Amino acid sequence: MLRDITIGQYYPADSIIHRLDPRVKLFFVFIYVLSLFMFGNLVSYCLATILLVVAIYYAKIPVKFLIRGFKPIFVLLIFTTFMKLFITDGTVWFKLWKFTITKEGVIDVIHILVRILYLIIASSLLTYTTTPTRLTDALEQVFKPLNKLKVPVHELTMMMSIALRFIPILVEETDKIMKAQSSRCMNFSSGNILKRIKNLVPILIPLFVAALRRADDLALAMESRCYQGGEGRTKMRILKYKRQDFFVYILLAIYFVFSLIIHLLL
Amino acid sequence: MSIILDKISCKYETDMINEHYALKCITAKIEDGEFIGVIGHTGSGKSTLMQILNGLVVPSGGSVYYNGEDIHEKNYNLYKLRSEVGMVFQYPEHQLFETTVFRDVCFGPKNLGWSKKEIELSAFEALFQMGIESELYYQSPFDLSGGQKRRVAIAGVLAMKPKVLILDEPAVGLDPMGKRNILDKIAEIKAERNCTVILVSHSMDDIADYVNRVWVLDDGKLIIDASVKEVFSHKRDLEEIGLAVPQITSIMHMLKDKGLVVNTNVTTIDEAKMEILRKLR
């Protein structure tokens, strides 16, 4: 079950999308998500779908792998859907005992589902096709101007990349600890809620201890290699736009303007 | 009373898409009271095999029979299996969580629903057998040294009075003294409790002195299943897969090559001494 968590993971492949400049991908996802929430009409959703399908196709990410990333949030999705479906007031379509389903409710649910699903697919496409290092490089580049406002951009992006890097490590650690405790006959799934929360203690404490230990080790390793933050630090890979990057920018601009026009017309 | 492994194989998904077999068709039988050593280098499937014995990993093919019952049968009680087959993981000190050493050791037996008296008695016994000084019992386990933590964690499994004890690299990462100490303790416990012990290691030297049967795993296959002496006579085979025979066996082989016709079938220093003295007399 824990191995299903694919958030923030990188999927190694050799594709056009993988080779794109990370800044392009970052902007793309940003504008894309923005467009999802700005324009809520059928035509723009269709456009967004086409764009997403094309991106998935060119990224060479297996659909099986994409779907697997949804499993952890599936319950959340179902929950929000039902809440929205039964709570929204409006023209009644359907009545079952105390629950009423309204026209507005159904429309709202469709909006929410499309937006959340596409948001997740788009952002996971970004992390699947971009290594954490490249993503951090891009973020650092993009937010560099904030340095003038005394925002520690490098430090923040470094934190982000470490956090991303640690997701799979901590997942694995949790898996190991859970196995160790269940071999001591620990029962995870019995008793009332209070008992179940208490059951988490034998897992959470070793997990925190492990996280602290790893953080300490990493800090030492970084210091012993003379890491001292962003000041005067040079880059091994310098980000440089290529032709395909401009092409994607143009595509993005066309998509956005087109959606905007349709939105204003409708 | 025995454990039977029947054509166990285990599939792993490596990078989400590619499949890889961690274990390939392993068949073996473990009798009561045996002391088995499992060797193989990193990635040979040792840990996976051990977790299968404990019911933590479900094999993709084959079955495991504990005392004649298939442990993957639908209504087989895995808790009962785990209370009888104790498993000590690699770096077991990473599983400590309680406020005191004593309470941590009590965690396992508590899960078995024993009475308070039984739990405490069994915890004391386990701590005593692992050689933990009594003034440490009520300290936080996080304040102990690495070797002490390791022994406390092993005591945590011992306190459940397992009939079969599986130890996955119990001495890894310890200094030579701590290593000896832990392995000696395990041998003592084996003698005292008369339980079955399976000891996983990647070092031949560690195992040779203690166990009486050795499994050699390579790339998911059980390639040798024999007594210690027999295994180390396969010097060539072992070196081919990157495992060395104990140093002393190596020395005997060299002596033989140099012209002193000794029996190379020794695994401990004492035996080697006797053998050389016998030859020189």
Side-chain angles (χ1 to χ4, degrees):
Chain A
M1 166 206 117
L2 277 171
R3 284 177 195 277
D4 286 336
I5 297 176
T6 54
I7 301 161
Q9 268 191 36
Y10 176 66
Y11 180 84
D14 185 31
S15 78
I16 303 167
I17 310 276
H18 280 76
R19 282 194 301 268
L20 278 179
D21 190 290
R23 283 171 292 177
V24 178
K25 287 185 266 189
L26 205 63
F27 274 122
F28 196 102
V29 171
F30 180 71
I31 297 291
Y32 185 80
V33 170
L34 201 71
S35 76
L36 277 181
F37 284 86
M38 270 173 70
F39 324 124
N41 59 60
L42 200 63
V43 182
S44 70
Y45 281 155
C46 282
L47 274 176
T49 313
I50 294 170
L51 212 57
L52 205 57
V53 169
V54 171
I56 293 171
Y57 177 76
Y58 279 110
K60 292 184 185 162
I61 305 271
V63 179
K64 187 179 141 201
F65 186 65
L66 265 179
I67 291 170
R68 219 162 113 174
F70 286 133
K71 272 191 204 160
I73 57 146
F74 195 69
V75 181
L76 187 82
L77 263 180
I78 297 284
F79 183 73
T80 34
T81 310
F82 272 89
M83 287 303 276
K84 197 77 194 162
L85 202 58
F86 294 124
I87 285 176
T88 318
D89 292 327
T91 347
V92 177
W93 263 9
F94 197 78
K95 201 161 180 163
L96 194 79
W97 187 46
K98 270 186 182 167
F99 302 108
T100 50
I101 292 177
T102 61
K103 184 184 166 195
E104 282 78 3
V106 173
I107 292 172
D108 273 1
V109 163
I110 292 171
H111 276 301
I112 290 177
L113 274 185
V114 171
R115 282 170 176 168
I116 292 184
L117 279 180
Y118 284 18
L119 171 85
I120 290 167
I121 296 177
S123 47
S124 35
L125 258 185
L126 174 70
T127 52
Y128 287 159
T129 59
T130 322
T131 57
T133 356
R134 292 208 0 122
L135 199 59
T136 326
D137 281 352
L139 277 174
E140 206 181 330
Q141 277 284 308
V142 171
F143 289 110
K144 219 175 192 173
L146 288 180
N147 253 334
K148 294 214 171 67
L149 299 173
K150 294 248 154 62
V151 179
V153 175
H154 172 80
E155 281 72 13
L156 287 174
T157 49
M158 178 57 97
M159 269 165 63
M160 198 202 79
S161 84
I162 291 173
L164 275 179
R165 178 69 192 79
F166 266 63
I167 292 173
I169 293 178
L170 287 181
V171 166
E172 205 175 291
E173 196 89 41
T174 315
D175 196 52
K176 231 169 65 188
I177 293 166
M178 278 174 80
K179 272 182 180 165
Q181 303 299 30
S182 35
S183 80
R184 290 165 90 189
C185 281
M186 187 188 156
N187 196 342
F188 296 107
S189 48
S190 76
N192 53 22
I193 287 192
L194 211 71
K195 184 92 204 310
R196 283 190 195 201
I197 292 172
K198 256 177 115 178
N199 276 346
L200 287 178
V201 172
I203 292 164
L204 287 183
I205 289 181
L207 189 64
F208 279 135
V209 172
L212 288 175
R213 189 183 57 237
R214 282 186 187 276
D216 206 32
D217 286 351
L218 183 64
L220 268 179
M222 282 165 81
E223 264 197 339
S224 69
R225 291 201 242 166
C226 298
Y227 176 80
Q228 49 180 344
E231 200 71 33
R233 191 173 163 81
T234 53
K235 285 256 176 302
M236 195 164 94
R237 287 173 303 262
I238 293 164
L239 294 176
K240 226 171 167 183
Y241 284 123
K242 290 196 203 84
R243 238 180 65 205
Q244 71 245 34
D245 299 319
F246 292 115
F247 174 75
V248 174
Y249 270 140
I250 293 165
L251 195 74
L252 184 64
I254 293 172
Y255 160 75
F256 191 77
V257 171
F258 199 72
S259 301
L260 188 67
I261 291 169
I262 288 169
H263 177 70
L264 293 176
L265 284 179
L266 286 176
Chain B
M1 296 283 271
S2 62
I3 301 174
I4 296 169
L5 297 170
D6 184 23
K7 298 194 195 81
I8 295 290
S9 54
C10 194
K11 220 166 23 183
Y12 251 94
E13 285 176 69
T14 43
D15 46 11
M16 312 284 155
I17 300 302
N18 298 324
E19 279 175 356
H20 168 77
Y21 278 89
L23 293 173
K24 297 166 192 159
C25 204
I26 290 194
T27 301
K29 189 174 181 202
I30 303 165
E31 294 288 355
D32 249 10
E34 273 194 289
F35 199 159
I36 298 179
V38 181
I39 42 178
H41 49 78
T42 320
S44 58
K46 298 170 296 197
S47 294
T48 312
L49 184 61
M50 294 307 114
Q51 288 177 26
I52 284 174
L53 288 177
N54 196 237
L56 287 167
V57 171
V58 182
S60 42
S63 1
V64 182
Y65 298 94
Y66 179 67
N67 293 341
E69 284 177 276
D70 186 344
I71 68 165
H72 298 297
E73 197 80 18
K74 232 193 201 138
N75 36 27
Y76 186 82
N77 188 349
L78 275 177
Y79 285 99
K80 189 146 183 307
L81 174 79
R82 286 177 193 154
S83 71
E84 293 189 9
V85 182
M87 165 114 189
V88 179
F89 276 78
Q90 261 176 54
Y91 298 103
E93 59 270 31
H94 294 176
Q95 76 193 24
L96 299 174
F97 70 98
E98 271 287 9
T99 44
T100 68
V101 166
F102 190 70
R103 288 177 62 136
D104 202 281
V105 175
C106 287
F107 176 70
K110 226 183 248 169
N111 288 333
L112 299 177
W114 294 355
S115 74
K116 199 171 174 236
K117 255 201 179 130
E118 273 179 294
I119 294 172
E120 291 186 345
L121 190 66
S122 162
F124 269 122
E125 208 181 323
L127 281 166
F128 180 75
Q129 278 190 324
M130 282 318 290
I132 307 286
E133 296 80 6
S134 51
E135 57 265 30
L136 298 178
Y137 288 9
Y138 299 104
Q139 282 190 21
S140 163
F142 298 105
D143 291 341
L144 306 184
S145 76
Q148 285 170 331
K149 274 190 208 168
R150 177 89 43 104
R151 278 184 283 149
V152 168
I154 297 177
V157 175
L158 270 184
M160 294 163 73
K161 298 207 166 128
K163 295 196 174 78
V164 180
L165 184 62
I166 303 170
L167 300 120
D168 193 350
E169 306 246 13
V172 71
L174 295 180
D175 55 275
M177 257 274 275
K179 213 176 217 177
R180 270 286 115 173
N181 193 325
I182 283 215
L183 293 172
D184 282 344
K185 283 275 173 325
I186 292 164
E188 267 170 44
I189 286 157
K190 156 94 182 92
E192 249 169 72
R193 301 197 172 191
N194 199 23
C195 49
T196 311
V197 177
I198 303 173
L199 188 62
V200 180
S201 177
H202 59 258
S203 156
M204 290 284 197
D205 280 307
D206 291 352
I207 280 193
D209 296 348
Y210 300 98
V211 301
N212 34 45
R213 182 173 161 203
V214 175
W215 291 358
V216 180
L217 284 177
D218 182 47
D219 193 24
K221 279 175 295 209
L222 182 58
I223 56 168
I224 301 173
D225 173 3
S227 72
V228 182
K229 296 225 149 66
E230 257 176 86
V231 165
F232 295 134
S233 59
H234 292 114
K235 188 165 178 274
R236 291 278 136 67
D237 293 339
L238 287 174
E239 278 165 357
E240 217 160 84
I241 61 166
L243 289 169
V245 297
Q247 254 174 14
I248 193 69
T249 313
S250 254
I251 291 174
M252 295 305 267
H253 274 276
M254 277 185 220
L255 281 176
K256 195 179 179 186
D257 290 346
K258 293 274 179 207
L260 186 65
V261 190
V262 286
N263 186 0
T264 52
N265 219 353
V266 300
T267 49
T268 63
I269 296 176
D270 280 340
E271 282 174 356
K273 190 176 105 189
M274 300 303 280
E275 176 64 20
I276 294 173
L277 282 175
R278 189 183 65 82
K279 256 301 55 119
L280 293 178
R281 206 161 272 157

